[in-house]
Each structure stands twice: as C-alpha cells, then as structure tokens.
Amino acid sequence: MKGIRQLAEHLDISIGTVSRALNGKADVNEETRKRVLAAAEEFGYVANQSGRSLRQGTTNVIGLMIESSKETVENSDNFFLGVTGGLQSVLSRHKLDLVMLPCPSDEDPYEYLKRMVARRVVDAMIISATQRIDKRIDLLVKAKIPFVALGRSSSGGGNFTWIDLDFEGVATCAVDRLVAKGHRRIAIAAPSGEINLGYIFVDAYRKALEKHGIAYDPKLVIRVKSSEQGGYQAGDELLRIEDKPTAIILIYELMAIGLYRRLVEAGIVPGRDLAVIGFREEPRAKFLQPTLTCFRMSLPDLGAALAETLLAGMPAYSETYRDGVRNRIWPLELVPAESDAFFLGSKT
Amino acid sequence: MKGIRQLAEHLDISIGTVSRALNGKADVNEETRKRVLAAAEEFGYVANQSGRSLRQGTTNVIGLMIESSKETVENSDNFFLGVTGGLQSVLSRHKLDLVMLPCPSDEDPYEYLKRMVARRVVDAMIISATQRIDKRIDLLVKAKIPFVALGRSSSGGGNFTWIDLDFEGVATCAVDRLVAKGHRRIAIAAPSGEINLGYIFVDAYRKALEKHGIAYDPKLVIRVKSSEQGGYQAGDELLRIEDKPTAIILIYELMAIGLYRRLVEAGIVPGRDLAVIGFREEPRAKFLQPTLTCFRMSLPDLGAALAETLLAGMPAYSETYRDGVRNRIWPLELVPAESDAFFLGSKT
C-alpha cells in the first residue's frame, strides 16, 4: 500500500496539501482535491486509522460477542443476525461499525473476552448469554470498557447496564393460559447450564403455579440443552415421567422442532394429546403442524435499543441519548396458535 | 483501567519488572511474577495491544466479511457459523482471532470494506459472495491486505486467491441424474443478481444439457432471490411456464422450503409430479417431505481450508503452509433422496 508520502511525490504536491485534501479541508481547491482522491483510489491509499485511533484512544468499532459452538451451527436461529441490523441502524448514525466476536465453543468466554479487550479491537462491547455468575462483567467494569449486556446476572453487584427478554412474562403468561384450559401437570424445558435466564424462567414458572395453587414438582422441570436436539430429548424425558404432564412450556425457539419430532415418533399429537407453548417465534418453527403457540418480538428493535443504551453510557454520545442508560425488560407478545388450543376437559 | 504505572506503584516494584513479569520473561522470580499477575487481574489491567500492534503493524485479528440483510435474517442458514468454527480451529494455532464483519444491506460492500480496511481492525480478510465484477478484490490487492475470497470473480485479472464451491459439478451431476430418469424439460432457479456463482451455475447447466443433446431454453432459467421466498417465487413462475418443466434444480439451500410450499398449494407433489434437486444439505431443509435430493459438504473443513490458504499468503505464516496458496474448487457430494427418485416414464 502507498503511504501519504508516495502519494504526494507521485502528484508532486506537498504532503500537507495531500493530507488536507484527504481530510476534506476547505482550503484545498476542488481540482486538486479531485486529483488527490483519484490518485488515492488508484494506489489503494487508505488512511491508517490505527495510528489515528491510538492518539484518540478509539477504534470506532463496537463488538458483539456471540458464542460459536457446534450446537449453534446445527441450531442456526436468526436471533443475532436479526439484532445486528438494528444495532447497525443506530451505530451508523455515528459512523461506528459493528463487528461480531464469535467465541469458540472450546474456549472460556472470560479468557476470550480478556484477549479481545487486550487486542483493543473495539471501543465498546455488547455481551450476550450472561451466566448467573459472569466474570466477563467484572472484567469490563474494571477495564472501564463501556458495555451493555443482553441478559441479567448476579455479577458486578447487579450494577451494570443490561437489557433482557421478559422471561418472567413469558413463563407467567404460558402458565396462566394452560391453567385456564384445565392443565395442572405442566412441564417446563429449561436450560441445563448456568445461564441466568434459566433461573429467571424456572422461578417465574414456579411462582405462577403457586398463584394457581399448584404445587411445584421438580420432576416436571426437564433440563436440556437449548437446541433442537434438546427439544427432542425433552420429549423423550417427558414420555418417561410416570404421572404424565398434559402440557409443556419451552424456553428456546428451536426446541419445538425436536420436541414435535419425538412426539410424532411416539404417536402423540401436539395440540391434541399434549399442549405445547414454544418460546420465540422463529422462521424455522413456522412450518410446524399443528401451528405453534409462541411469543413474538422485534429483533431489529431490540438491536436498536441495545445500541442506544450502549451509546448512552459512552461519554462521546451520552448527550444524544440522555434517557438511554437504563436496564430494560424487553416484552414479547403472545401469538396464539393450535398447539395449546384444546381444553383438557374436552379430550376424549 | 489501571495502566502499568499504577500497577507498579501499587506493588512498589519498578515498571520494568512489572512489564517483564507481564510479558513472561525468565529474569523475573516466580513469586514476583505471581504477585504482578494477581494484581493485574485484580485491577483489570490489560496490555494495550493497539500500541503494540502499531509498532508491529499487526492486530492478530482476521476478518470474515459477510452480508447482513433482511433476507439473511429470514434466511438464517447455517453456512457462516459452520465455516467460522473451521476457521477458528486453524487460526487459534497461531493465536489469531476471528471477527465477523457484517456489511449492512443498505451499504455498498466496496465502501464498507474500504472503511474497514482504513480502520485497521484486521490484518487479513476473507471475503464472500463475490460478484462477477468485484471492486473489493482490486481494493485489497492495491492495499496489500492479505485475503482469500470464498468465490471466484473476473476482477483482479483472476489473479487472487480463492476457494469456491463446485457449482459446475453440482449442475452437471443434477442434469445427468435427471436426464437419466427421462427428463428433458429441466428448469433451474438461479440468482437474480450479479453474484459470480450464478454465471458459473447456469453455464454448467447449459453445457450439461448440450452434452445430452437438449436445447437450452432461456425460459427455463428462473431468476429469483437466493432465499426461501425466492424458492416460493420460483415455484410460482414454474407453474406459469406453458410447456411445463418436469424437473427443477435449485442453487440455494433454503429455496427448497419455499418451493415445496408453493407446490403443495398448487396440489403438486415433489418427487411424484415434479422432480426437485436442492443445493446444499441444510438442517432446516432436512424435514421436508418427501425428502430432498441435495448435496453435502463439510463447513468446518471448508473453514479450515480457507484459513490455511489465507495464512499461506501471509509472510509470517507462509513457511508453515507451504502448499497452502492455491485456488480450489470445493467438492460437494450427492445425497440421493425421494424428491427426484421417480422415472418420468413411470408416471401415470
């Protein structure tokens, strides 16, 4: 790549003029500016913003940390790509770029983040899949890297900025709906790991049951991976419960596909023999028959809110997003369908 | 965040010793090294590698440019997440990290790449979705940024490093297979844009037909978006062709889902009334009934090959990957299934 010096020599203009032309200063005449830009294009000259950013302490790049595991490959839901568009719509207003940081499945997310922070690839971070105890939060707080978490956590004394989906709302709505249709034995497929949303979801389910005077039965909490395969396994375990549940609530969008498959194998029809309530509405699960009762949310809107919340916490942008820094529970809207439509009493 | 100076003051050790301890030099005693590392952890000290990389001219980060459009959100196939794992498996050997650079759908990929190059986020690039004429290739060549393209292009005088899927092989195999089963009117759903693979695919289809003495009929080339919706539209257009085709070959993995939907609406059964050959085997399309004849490939292997090819072109790693820089056609393996199993003569 040519440097600014080579450009100046080639054009026989001073380095200062070339620099002013490249930086769009008004004191360069139009003719010269055009010549400089044309030559810069021709020689593939690009300003070294790494040097610039070292002085300014900024890269103008925001990172979105995601997990890349074998499971996410088989379970390619549209969540992060959907959020990305919304993030970019806000970041682009400020000439900020988004990069996705895929943490390999065989690496500790904390060690990965530590390295990415050290590499100074980004000015600020969005982290996701927060664990109940999540050392990444302490790391970012200490390193004074602005960040927003998609998900709550007990770490950082709870004193950090987050947006989280309304897992309480989903669990409560699902239980209320099923109880109203006559169900008392309601199972729940919850994540097997230490991800924080699992705790929230099961707690809310338990409270909703108690509200209806239904005793919490730990045997009905089926711990599986948040994946299509996890859904299949949940179906398998459900079939082996002695006092059979009549309904199941799922916590991950693609679980429904695996669950349906296992039920069909066993000759059980969702929406007739077993009520099923899925989690987020997702293109892949739209083709399920009978149609799946689930919950809808706007991924681009969530992405935009994450970006605004993040910028509100960055000194250079906080003025523009005065009301932005606040922890938010993101609502999901019920999409009623066939999979839980029957009343238990009406079964033959 | 604490700097190295604050760390040294806190520990009451010289800055030089702290630096040597952090950098793992042998002349620091074990006790001191442990104290320094513990304090660094406690205070969230992370070495500023941006300063380091400016001196070395490297970031140790490799970028994978992808497209993020509304379509990719609805069409969340598992391609790039699958490739990511393979890329990381090779890059991690050299302590290199991968970031994904999602180009927004409303931005020109060339302008986007130019900015990312200027930001110096990455040392090297993997670009995808190459167009027939792709200015990004000229930009990277001129800027002397090492890169590998996933896809061929006429740009750069063809003189750049690429790996591309075997679209010729897929088209030829599909045509041969269908002709052997008695088909002569074979339609093809091809991409509507200037993406290079579209040209390769249609050319190979045309040549395969000619080999069998079948005249090429441009009416049988259905131009649609590479998406599920595009598949639906291809079905729609196919139904309106006067001299109806008896078979269709698809160029994008999720098209089959939309196509099946449109066919079912019209009372046409794939694999009985119309032969369908899909493109890449994908989890979402695995549930189609009747099962879809398609082609299989290993995404992690492709990712690993891309990484090795890229590193072979980077001076710091070329020694390790001596045989790495070469343009490669990536094979796909036929997965025969029900959607094209019938013989045309045997239809009632």
Side-chain angles (χ1 to χ4, degrees):
Chain A
M1 187 190 39
K2 300 277 176 178
I4 197 164
R5 181 178 302 275
Q6 285 76 30
L7 259 187
E9 278 171 14
H10 170 80
L11 291 163
D12 201 15
I13 313 180
S14 76
I15 291 179
T17 304
V18 171
S19 170
R20 288 199 303 282
L22 289 172
N23 287 304
K25 303 282 181 189
D27 61 352
V28 181
N29 83 53
E30 187 56 22
E31 181 75 8
T32 307
R33 201 182 62 81
K34 278 189 187 157
R35 271 184 66 211
V36 171
L37 292 183
E41 177 98 24
E42 189 188 340
F43 292 119
Y45 173 82
V46 275
N48 185 338
Q49 295 200 347
S50 178
R52 195 180 296 165
S53 73
L54 192 67
R55 289 192 299 277
Q56 299 182 347
T58 60
T59 62
N60 295 316
V61 175
I62 308 294
L64 168 63
M65 181 171 164
I66 61 173
E67 289 178 8
S68 79
S69 65
K70 270 180 205 148
E71 253 159 59
T72 54
V73 174
E74 278 300 299
N75 289 277
S76 51
D77 68 62
N78 68 341
F79 192 85
F80 283 106
L81 273 176
V83 168
T84 296
L87 281 165
Q88 289 176 321
S89 70
V90 172
L91 297 177
S92 65
R93 290 179 207 151
H94 307 285
K95 301 194 190 301
L96 295 169
D97 274 307
L98 181 78
V99 300
M100 292 163 91
L101 310 174
C103 175
S105 52
D106 56 358
E107 188 168 2
D108 176 14
Y110 173 76
E111 294 300 329
Y112 174 84
L113 179 65
K114 207 164 140 181
R115 200 171 63 244
M116 296 314 285
V117 166
R119 292 210 196 284
R120 287 283 184 282
V121 176
V122 298
D123 291 344
M125 276 277 188
I126 299 137
I127 61 170
S128 61
T130 47
Q131 305 292 299
R132 184 164 222 194
I133 303 296
D134 201 319
K135 283 170 65 190
R136 295 179 301 168
I137 290 163
D138 307 302
L139 171 68
L140 290 167
V141 168
K142 273 185 192 162
K144 297 211 169 84
I145 309 281
F147 74 100
V148 56
L150 176 55
R152 284 161 274 179
S153 170
S154 303
S155 287
N159 188 22
F160 62 96
T161 307
W162 53 260
I163 297 184
D164 202 0
L165 306 193
D166 186 10
F167 297 104
E168 294 92 333
V170 166
T172 308
C173 171
V175 168
D176 287 355
R177 211 175 138 77
L178 291 167
V179 170
K181 288 176 192 287
H183 297 274
R184 310 277 299 174
R185 293 283 293 164
I186 301 169
I188 185 169
S192 48
E194 281 294 302
I195 195 158
N196 194 64
L197 67 88
Y199 290 91
I200 297 174
F201 195 61
V202 174
D203 279 357
Y205 153 83
R206 183 178 189 145
K207 281 190 190 133
L209 288 176
E210 278 167 8
K211 188 180 71 184
H212 295 289
I214 301 171
Y216 169 79
D217 179 355
K219 281 198 294 292
L220 295 183
V221 179
I222 305 173
R223 297 278 174 188
V224 286
K225 288 198 171 166
S226 289
S227 66
E228 191 182 307
Q229 295 85 330
Y232 185 90
Q233 202 200 323
D236 205 57
E237 297 199 10
L238 185 137
L239 294 171
R240 276 187 272 131
I241 296 174
E242 259 184 48
D243 186 2
K244 279 225 179 347
T246 59
I248 184 165
I249 304 168
L250 308 175
I251 186 52
Y252 172 65
E253 37 267 50
L254 297 186
M255 275 184 183
I257 299 172
L259 174 70
Y260 267 51
R261 207 165 69 236
R262 184 67 191 91
L263 294 179
V264 166
E265 284 176 8
I268 291 171
V269 179
R272 192 194 69 187
D273 309 318
L274 180 79
V276 179
I277 298 188
F279 186 61
R280 187 177 63 86
E281 187 183 50
E282 212 274 341
R284 280 180 72 173
K286 267 193 184 160
F287 297 100
L288 290 173
Q289 283 298 334
T291 54
L292 180 70
T293 294
C294 57
F295 296 85
R296 185 176 293 163
M297 57 176 288
S298 161
L299 297 177
D301 287 354
L302 173 63
L306 280 166
E308 290 178 356
T309 303
L310 181 66
L311 293 175
M314 297 171 71
Y317 309 99
S318 54
E319 213 29 47
T320 314
Y321 299 96
R322 251 169 225 262
D323 304 324
V325 178
R326 56 174 198 274
N327 298 337
R328 289 165 76 173
I329 300 283
W330 197 262
L332 289 94
E333 177 202 349
L334 179 75
V335 184
E338 298 161 358
S339 63
D340 74 334
F342 69 99
F343 284 79
L344 199 54
S346 72
K347 267 183 67 179
T348 47
Chain B
M1 187 192 41
K2 302 277 177 178
I4 196 164
R5 181 179 304 275
Q6 285 75 30
L7 260 186
E9 278 171 13
H10 170 80
L11 291 162
D12 200 15
I13 312 182
S14 76
I15 291 180
T17 303
V18 171
S19 170
R20 287 200 302 283
L22 289 171
N23 288 304
K25 304 282 181 188
D27 60 352
V28 181
N29 83 52
E30 188 56 22
E31 180 75 8
T32 308
R33 200 182 63 81
K34 277 190 187 155
R35 271 184 66 211
V36 171
L37 292 183
E41 178 97 23
E42 190 187 343
F43 293 118
Y45 171 81
V46 274
N48 186 336
Q49 297 200 343
S50 180
R52 196 180 299 165
S53 73
L54 192 67
R55 289 193 299 277
Q56 300 182 346
T58 59
T59 62
N60 294 318
V61 175
I62 308 294
L64 168 63
M65 180 170 166
I66 61 174
E67 290 178 8
S68 79
S69 64
K70 272 180 202 148
E71 252 159 57
T72 54
V73 174
E74 278 300 300
N75 289 278
S76 52
D77 68 61
N78 68 340
F79 192 85
F80 283 108
L81 273 177
V83 169
T84 296
L87 281 166
Q88 288 175 321
S89 70
V90 172
L91 297 178
S92 65
R93 289 179 210 152
H94 307 284
K95 301 194 190 303
L96 295 169
D97 273 308
L98 181 78
V99 301
M100 293 163 90
L101 311 174
C103 174
S105 52
D106 57 358
E107 186 167 4
D108 176 16
Y110 173 76
E111 294 300 329
Y112 174 83
L113 179 64
K114 208 163 140 180
R115 199 170 65 245
M116 296 313 287
V117 166
R119 291 209 196 284
R120 287 282 184 285
V121 176
V122 298
D123 291 343
M125 277 277 189
I126 299 136
I127 61 170
S128 62
T130 47
Q131 305 292 298
R132 183 165 223 193
I133 304 295
D134 201 318
K135 283 169 65 189
R136 293 179 302 169
I137 290 164
D138 306 303
L139 171 69
L140 291 168
V141 168
K142 275 185 189 158
K144 296 211 169 89
I145 308 281
F147 75 100
V148 56
L150 177 55
R152 284 161 275 179
S153 169
S154 303
S155 287
N159 189 21
F160 62 95
T161 306
W162 52 259
I163 296 184
D164 202 0
L165 305 193
D166 186 10
F167 297 103
E168 294 93 334
V170 166
T172 307
C173 171
V175 169
D176 288 354
R177 213 175 137 76
L178 291 168
V179 170
K181 287 175 193 288
H183 297 274
R184 310 277 299 173
R185 295 283 293 164
I186 300 168
I188 185 168
S192 48
E194 281 293 302
I195 194 159
N196 193 65
L197 68 89
Y199 290 92
I200 296 174
F201 195 61
V202 174
D203 280 356
Y205 154 82
R206 184 178 190 148
K207 280 190 191 136
L209 288 177
E210 278 167 7
K211 189 180 70 184
H212 294 290
I214 301 171
Y216 170 79
D217 179 355
K219 281 198 294 291
L220 296 183
V221 180
I222 305 174
R223 297 279 174 187
V224 287
K225 289 197 172 167
S226 289
S227 66
E228 192 182 307
Q229 294 85 332
Y232 185 91
Q233 202 200 323
D236 206 57
E237 298 199 11
L238 186 138
L239 294 171
R240 277 188 271 130
I241 296 174
E242 260 186 46
D243 186 3
K244 281 227 178 344
T246 59
I248 184 165
I249 304 167
L250 308 174
I251 185 51
Y252 173 65
E253 37 267 49
L254 298 186
M255 276 185 182
I257 299 171
L259 174 71
Y260 267 51
R261 207 164 71 236
R262 183 67 192 91
L263 294 178
V264 166
E265 283 176 11
I268 291 171
V269 179
R272 191 193 71 185
D273 308 319
L274 181 79
V276 179
I277 298 188
F279 187 60
R280 187 177 63 86
E281 188 183 49
E282 213 274 342
R284 280 179 73 172
K286 266 193 186 163
F287 297 101
L288 289 174
Q289 284 296 334
T291 54
L292 180 69
T293 294
C294 57
F295 297 85
R296 183 176 294 162
M297 57 176 287
S298 161
L299 297 176
D301 288 353
L302 173 63
L306 280 166
E308 290 179 356
T309 303
L310 180 66
L311 293 175
M314 298 172 72
Y317 309 99
S318 54
E319 215 25 48
T320 314
Y321 299 96
R322 251 168 226 262
D323 304 324
V325 178
R326 55 173 198 273
N327 298 335
R328 287 165 76 172
I329 300 283
W330 197 263
L332 290 94
E333 177 202 347
L334 179 75
V335 184
E338 298 161 358
S339 63
D340 74 334
F342 69 100
F343 284 80
L344 199 54
S346 71
K347 267 181 70 179
T348 47

